[in-house]
């Protein structure tokens, strides 16, 4: 019998399209939950294997060669799984050693994919930092690449470090949220421009790499425009960069200075904040916040400059070149090395 195919659009009853859309969303959500559950079980399994390896090596004196034998036997027993290489078993051991408390694995890092946990293990040395980045990755849904970037640029270590007057110019708890929304320094190493780049060159590069710029700014920032025109009393002024913060519900004016911070910079930025509040801010928006980015700053001078300012302003430095500090690196093999090993095994089944 010939397949007549799906019925024509004229045969679809009223409301079917909306129902189908809703069903698709349900299916997608269910698949996501299933994938998350499978991932959680896999990570917990890896932790249990790592814990057993640690315990048996400690109690029975098993050496490293046992892991090679275990890798071979597990791959033989489960040929369809590619997670039982020697390198990955070593990661399981390191994972269990890093998180001796199974409660953390069940409730915290166990909700991150294994690849994320490898980033935490290879990039960070302390449990405190690993847990802090793990929690933020879960909260904000970071991809593995985003987690890697944030660790390499020391995102959490820089948050809340900028000089600001938020505590006296903004009500609590908004002042705390605003302080956590900015950092010091900002790292713009992704721009690929020299240390002597001027303000306009940096602005143009930031807009050109707006996705990375937003990643560096952090969650909540939405890009509005560059060199945004503001007319005041018949004179034209231009705001370097204008953003809107979705969590703070306010505009954020960012001004770039290619040199050292000077007290007069806050006067110019305060003027722009007043203009934005008067011309762009709606009744539903909170007061506009200013962020002054400069190449260098004297912290004491910056604090003095903000002391009598009646506008909420943060002052931070930016860096055009940054590298991963040696103290953040561990002696474990890199993720790239383990992935290459897994790929080799998948292709030819040989022991790594």
């Amino acid at each position: 019998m010939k397949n007549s195919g799906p019925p024509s659009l004229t045969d679809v009853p009223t409301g079917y399209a909306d129902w189908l859309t809703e069903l698709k969303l349900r299916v997608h959500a269910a698949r996501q939950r299933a994938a998350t559950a499978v991932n959680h079980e896999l990570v917990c399994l890896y932790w249990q294997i790592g814990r057993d390896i640690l315990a048996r090596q400690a109690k029975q004196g098993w050496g490293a060669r046992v892991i090679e034998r275990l890798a071979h036997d597990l791959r033989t027993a489960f040929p369809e799984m590619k997670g039982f290489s020697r390198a990955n078993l070593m990661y399981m051991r390191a994972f269990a050693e890093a998180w001796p408390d199974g409660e953390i694995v069940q409730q915290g890092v166990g909700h991150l994919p294994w690849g994320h946990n490898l980033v935490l293990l290879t990039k960070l040395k302390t449990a405190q930092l690993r847990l802090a980045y793990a929690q933020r990755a879960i909260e904000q849904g970071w991809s593995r690449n985003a987690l890697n970037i944030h660790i390499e640029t020391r995102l959490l270590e820089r948050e809340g470090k900028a000089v600001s007057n938020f505590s006296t110019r903004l009500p609590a708890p908004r002042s705390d949220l605003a302080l956590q929304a900015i950092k010091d320094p900002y790292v713009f190493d992704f721009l690929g421009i020299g240390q002597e780049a001027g303000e306009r060159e940096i602005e143009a590069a930031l807009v050109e790499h707006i996705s990375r710029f937003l990643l560096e700014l952090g969650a909540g920032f939405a890009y509005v425009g560059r060199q945004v025109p503001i007319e005041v009393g018949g004179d034209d002024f231009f705001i370097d960069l204008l953003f809107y913060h979705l969590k703070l519900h306010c505009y954020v004016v960012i001004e770039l200075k290619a040199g050292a911070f000077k007290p007069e910079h806050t006067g110019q930025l305060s003027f722009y904040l007043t203009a934005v509040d008067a011309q762009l801010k709606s009744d539903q928006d909170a007061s506009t916040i200013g962020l002054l980015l400069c190449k260098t700053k004297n912290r004491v001078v910056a604090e003095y400059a903000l002391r009598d300012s009646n506008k909420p302003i943060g002052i931070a430095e930016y860096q055009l070149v940054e590298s991963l500090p040696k103290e953040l690196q561990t002696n474990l093999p890199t993720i790239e090395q383990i992935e290459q090993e897994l790929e080799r095994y998948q292709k030819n089944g040989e022991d790594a």
Side-chain angles (χ1 to χ4, degrees):
M1 180 178 179
K2 187 176 179 180
N3 187 353
S4 59
S8 65
L9 294 178
T10 56
D11 297 327
V12 175
T14 302
Y16 176 82
D18 292 338
W19 180 53
L20 178 61
T21 300
E22 181 184 347
L23 286 180
K24 288 179 179 178
L25 291 174
R26 287 185 196 171
V27 171
H28 178 72
R31 291 177 63 180
Q32 289 291 99
R33 290 194 298 271
T36 300
V38 170
N39 167 77
H40 179 65
E41 289 299 320
L42 183 65
V43 172
C44 289
L45 171 65
Y46 284 174
W47 179 82
Q48 292 167 0
I49 292 174
R51 178 198 58 188
D52 288 352
I53 292 173
L54 281 173
R56 292 179 181 276
Q57 285 185 328
K59 292 181 180 180
Q60 303 178 24
W62 290 358
R65 293 185 62 84
V66 173
I67 295 181
E68 295 183 12
R69 175 60 187 266
L70 181 62
H72 176 272
D73 291 342
L74 287 176
R75 287 196 302 238
T76 301
F78 305 100
E80 74 283 1
M81 296 181 67
K82 63 175 186 176
F84 292 131
S85 68
R86 178 185 179 278
N88 209 32
L89 287 174
M90 293 294 291
Y91 269 122
M92 295 176 203
R93 182 185 186 280
F95 183 59
E97 192 172 29
W99 306 111
D101 183 2
E103 189 96 4
I104 294 178
V105 178
Q106 286 289 339
Q107 299 180 2
V109 296
H111 294 283
L112 285 174
W114 183 238
H116 285 59
N117 278 293
L118 296 186
V119 171
L120 296 173
L121 283 173
T122 57
K123 296 293 186 181
L124 299 169
K125 282 187 175 181
T126 69
Q128 182 180 7
L129 274 178
R130 286 170 178 163
L131 186 58
Y133 277 99
Q135 289 174 338
R136 186 64 63 86
I138 293 171
E139 292 169 2
Q140 299 188 3
W142 288 345
S143 66
R144 193 181 78 179
N145 184 53
L147 173 62
N148 192 64
I149 290 173
H150 287 318
I151 289 176
E152 290 189 348
T153 59
R154 296 169 297 170
L155 169 69
L156 299 189
E157 295 89 321
R158 294 181 288 127
E159 282 186 344
K161 302 299 183 182
V163 177
S164 80
N165 59 0
F166 293 160
S167 62
T168 58
R169 297 297 177 266
L170 295 173
R174 189 164 178 263
S175 57
D176 293 332
L177 292 175
L179 183 59
Q180 290 302 313
I182 63 176
K183 55 182 72 78
D184 188 24
Y186 284 82
V187 180
F188 299 151
D189 59 341
F190 54 87
L191 297 182
I193 55 181
Q195 291 280 22
E196 303 306 317
E199 294 165 11
R200 296 296 174 264
E201 184 181 357
I202 297 173
E203 286 175 24
L206 288 173
V207 173
E208 183 179 350
H209 298 81
I210 191 64
S211 295
R212 283 294 304 271
F213 185 27
L214 288 170
L215 187 64
E216 171 62 10
L217 286 177
F221 281 89
Y223 176 64
V224 177
R226 174 198 174 203
Q227 290 297 303
V228 177
I230 292 284
E231 181 183 339
V232 179
D235 292 338
D236 292 325
F237 300 89
F238 297 89
I239 296 172
D240 286 351
L241 294 161
L242 184 62
F243 290 82
Y244 190 88
H245 200 281
L246 302 177
K247 294 182 179 179
L248 293 169
H249 302 289
C250 69
Y251 285 100
V252 180
V253 174
I254 297 181
E255 283 292 297
L256 279 166
K257 300 300 176 185
F261 168 76
K262 296 180 180 179
E264 54 264 33
H265 294 159
T266 58
Q268 180 187 30
L269 184 51
S270 293
F271 172 79
Y272 288 148
L273 299 185
T274 299
V276 171
D277 280 342
Q279 299 185 25
L280 300 180
K281 173 182 171 295
S282 70
D283 293 338
Q284 289 73 40
D285 297 327
S287 299
T288 305
I289 292 174
L291 175 58
L292 183 65
L293 297 179
C294 49
K295 194 169 185 180
T296 61
K297 72 177 184 304
N298 182 309
R299 192 174 186 90
V300 176
V301 172
E303 290 172 350
Y304 271 53
L306 292 180
R307 187 170 296 179
D308 293 326
S309 174
N310 62 356
K311 292 293 184 181
I313 293 175
I315 302 172
E317 296 179 356
Y318 65 83
Q319 297 176 357
L320 297 177
V321 179
E322 176 72 357
S323 60
L324 178 64
K326 292 182 179 179
E327 61 268 21
L328 292 184
Q329 300 174 348
T330 71
N331 294 323
L332 288 169
T334 64
I335 297 173
E336 288 73 19
Q337 289 172 335
I338 188 174
E339 287 180 339
Q340 290 171 4
E341 181 175 352
L342 292 175
E343 288 174 3
R344 286 197 301 271
Y345 164 68
Q346 195 174 24
K347 289 179 180 179
N348 53 38
E350 297 180 357
D351 291 345

